Amino acid sequence: HLAAALGVPVIIPCGPSLRMWDPIWYPERTHLLRDEKLACLPCNTQFEEAQVCRNIEHPHACMQYWTVDMLNALSRRILTA
C-alpha cells in the first residue's frame, strides 16, 4: 500500500477480495492480477470474510494461478517500459 500511495509501480496478485478493496492510488501504475475466469470470485462479501475456500474443484486457484516466473516476467516488462 505504501508503494502504491507513493506512485511506485506495483504488481498485486489478487486473491478472493472484493473489487471495492482494490487500491485506488495511481491506477495507471497499479497492475492487479486477477483470474477473471474463476466463477468463485469473490468468495468473501462486503460484510463477511471468507473463512474457507469455496472452490471445491481447485482450492485456492485464485492464489495459485500466478507463478514466480509469470510475476518475474511481468516485473521486468513493467520496469523496462
Side-chain angles (χ1 to χ4, degrees), residues 19-68:
R19 288 187 181 279
M20 65 186 289
W21 301 116
D22 290 353
I24 58 172
W25 305 297
Y26 303 98
E28 68 279 1
R29 294 184 203 134
T30 302
H31 305 274
L32 297 173
L33 306 180
R34 182 180 281 124
D35 186 1
E36 299 288 348
K37 293 177 261 170
L38 291 174
C40 57
L41 293 178
C43 64
N44 59 348
T45 68
Q46 183 175 356
F47 304 105
E48 178 184 350
E49 70 178 58
Q51 298 295 322
V52 296
C53 180
R54 296 182 184 139
N55 188 336
I56 296 168
E57 242 180 86
H58 303 286
H60 305 288
C62 59
M63 296 306 293
Q64 294 177 358
Y65 179 80
W66 309 104
T67 66
V68 171

